[in-house]
Each structure stands twice: as structure tokens, then as C-alpha cells.
Amino acid sequence: MNRALNPGSAPALLGRRKLLGLGLGAGAAMALAACGGSSTAAPGGHSAGAGVLKWGWALPTSWDPVFSSAGWDVHALSLVYAGLTKLDPHGAAVPALASGWTYDSAGTRVTFTLRPNLTFSDGTALDAAAVKKSLDRGRTDPKSLVAPQLTSVKAISAPAANTVVIDLTHPDYQIPNLLAGKTGMIVNPAEFGANAASLAARPAGAGPFTLTSYTQNEKAVLRRNPGYWDAASVKLGGFELYPLPDASTVVAALQSGQYNVAQIPGSQVAAAQAAGLEVQVIPSMVVATLDVDSARAPFTDPRVVQALKFAIDREALLKTEAFGHGEVTYQPFPKGYAGYDPGSDGLFAYDPAKAKALLAQAGHAGGLDITLTTSAAAGVPEQIQAQLKQVGINAKIEVIPQAQFTQIIYIQHSRQVAVDQFAGRDSAVQAFQVLFGQQGLMNPGRATPPELTAALDKVTRTPLDSPDYPTVLQAATATAVRTMPNVFLYTVPRILARAKGVSPLPETTVVQRFEGVTVA
């Protein structure tokens, strides 16, 4: 995320990570001023006469999209922020705050036209000048976590109140997709001056809801924003967001009404259905992975990296840990996505004999010791440990607190191998940058082979609507999975159980959306 796909991501049931409390004391309750225009509010800050969706999912690492550090944060942040674009159910960029956009003939300038009369949730104008300031903050703040995705942006201008022009250093046709996620969420400039630190707990956006209260690690309460550009599609009066429920209690919590929608693991699907709950298994961009540091011995030897890939029985992991929900994979994109490379299917199929031979070639015929870092010792880490032992790799499991996982794994890059999940991204190139780029959060070795850099450059220069785009993107995927140390295991669908009074949820692959959803 970081499960730094989204964007389409689910909060990790495997190695779930949180970095909460930015700018807050533990357990601090933040009472937020109600904003977003006039509306009749019922007790608790929700609009009168409309249903409230109570979602057991995850609270964000930060309510500031520029400093949010987990990929699945995009789901929560999309409740309070909007971008120039958003993604349709298939992952393609469509208009949002912008009614449309055009590229010049060279592909180095993209012009967005804003919808008329846009406002932030506090009622202030959201014009081109505000968009420019927000996007410039994301690409220039020294501590920005979205800046690496905006390196192709040379300058942003606002020649008219409804016109935003983005000039690029080179042709980059990924910009509309890129701006559909955290990278493009528009933050009210009035709040990121003297009040910048408060954005961690007090978002200032133009999304479908407005945060009215927030208790760290416990609960976020939101109400419908009548000034949202697509307010007519938002049927819910309010929203309550909670941390991911414990797997052993989630069904009971749904039955009791503590939640009316919740993420559940595959192990609880049968129990949820038996309890009379509706269950949706929504394909997502999330993939279970191992982050491998190729700059740390013994993984400095490519043969040891390959041995690791062949030593893992992905089918067994999927059956035991995910109860068969998902598919074995050897690459970062699921089947059906433009970047999925058929030629990489089965590339590192389970072959313990080959793993042993590679280890012997690398001088480890007698075995070797590694440390497997995780934030949850039980389940997948233990099964991987057992599988590796069969080929002579003795893996010591190191458990670190969830709240420290982001800092240690993504910022410090101080571990050999980490059990992780990649949450996907709105833009394919952004996904590659997170996984394989020299500054990628999930590339602890900080090395990218030149052939992969060249393949990605070709992707950015290919228009999304070009008939050549899928072929070019798949070629980049093929290069990445053959040259990079990341170990992909299986896809992780978004499994949501809901009370019968909640209408079906939109089945969007990247970001879970709630347009049209009602609660009886």
C-alpha cells in the first residue's frame, strides 16, 4: 500500500497495517464542526429521514490524502474527498469534479474543464485556483507520499475559473486515472496553511459526506454533503466507519446491528449466510504478496529469490487461508484487467525440487536462515514458514505491531521479507511505481532494472484508448515479474456481508463506492 489498488483494496486480513494517530493523542476524540451547506440533521449529525450505513472496514492512517500511508485508505478518503475524475466499475477514468478533459496532440498537456458552481463541504468555492493549489501541494510538499506519482507533472495552471491545465515533462496518458485516487483528491487550500496538521483528523474536501466526529481507533461519523457534485446519487443520510471487526465476532456484530455492512474473511462466509446475511464477493485489485529486499543477503543472489518463488504452494495458501475465495496469481494484476499477462500465468508454480536445486547452485545446499516479518503471526506466515522449511529455508517469524508496520516496512525498509498485501492503484503505472519503482514503498531493495524502466516509459506514452495499450502494458507486467523480487501469491476479493435492510453494493474493483445504496 503500502498496499500503497486501491486503489480496489480491502483492509488487509493478512498483515493488516495501520498508522493511526497522526497529530493526536491515543484515544483522542475529535469533534468536528458540521459543514457542507444547509440540511436538516437528525441526532448524531445525520440527515433526517435517510438511512445510516455502519461499515466495519478500517479507519484511515490519516484523513489527509497527501500523507495517507495505506493503499486501502482510499475507500475511507473517498467518502470525504472528490477528485477531477473517478473510476467506473471496470477501472476506467470518468468525469467527477471535471466534466471532461482533452490532451494536446503531443500528449504533454491535458486540460480539465470543471463543473460549474462547485464547492467544498464548508461552502467555499472549489475553482481552478483551488485545484491548482491542492495538486501542487501533493507534488511539492517534502513529506508528500503522493509526490512520486506526480513526477511527470511540470506545471499546473488555472487560466480560467473552470479550467485546469497540467503540463507534463513527457507524454503521460495515465493522468486521468492517476487523479481518480488519493493522488488527485482535492483538499481545501484554506485548511492546509496554518491548519495543515489538523487535516490528519479533520478532512477538508468536497466528497459525498462530511466528517462530523472522529474517535481515534474507534469510530468516524459522517453525514451526507448536500453540496456534493453528484448528491442526487447519494441516498444515505449518514455513514459510520469502524475498524476491521475481529473475524470471530463479525457475524454476531452484524446480527446485533453494531454494523450493517462489514468486511469478512473467507472463513466466515458460510456462517454469515447461515445467519441470514447477504454476502457479496467483489473482485478487487488486492493481491497477497511477499516484499523481498534484494539489497539484503541472501536475496542479493537472484537464484535465492527464484528459489523463494518456487518454494511456496500458493494453492494451499488460497485453500487454507482464504477458503478458496480468490485465485492463485504470479503477477500484480487480476484476470480481466488490461495489465494481466497470460504468459506469466503459472510462471513460478510450486516446485520444491527446483527450489532446492536453485539454493544449492547459490551455495546453500545445507539450507539458510531468514526472517519473515509480519503483523499477524498466525495463519499465512506460519504456513509459509512450514513450506519454506521443506526446501531448506528456515524462516524465523518476527511479529511487529500493526501500528509500526508502515514505518518499519515502507519507510525504513529494514527487513528481509515481509508478509504483505498490495492494494492496487487507480493507474497501472502508479501500481508499477509502488511495487517496482526506485522509490516504491514495496520495493525495499530500491533497484529497478533499465528494461523495466523502458517498458514503463512506453506505457505512459501510450494513450489509454489506443488498441496497442493492453499489449504494451502486458509486456511491462511480463518484464516486472521476471526481473523483480516481489512474490505474488493470490488475489484477495472484497468480501462484504450486509444486513438484509441494506441494498446491494456497487461492485467496483478499485474503490468501494456507495452511490444508490439505501438502508431500510
Side-chain angles (χ1 to χ4, degrees), residues 360-384:
Q361 293 171 19
H364 301 289
L368 57 81
D369 299 327
I370 67 169
T371 299
L372 187 67
T373 302
T374 177
S375 62
V380 169
E382 291 178 333
Q383 191 168 358
I384 290 177

Side-chain angles (χ1 to χ4, degrees), residues 5 31 53-54 88 210 214 240 254-255 327 345 357 422 432 447:
L5 318 97
L53 192 141
K54 296 181 288 185
D88 69 10
T210 301
Y214 175 46
E240 295 179 4
L254 283 159
Q255 288 180 295
E327 295 183 344
D345 193 19
F422 173 58
F432 274 98

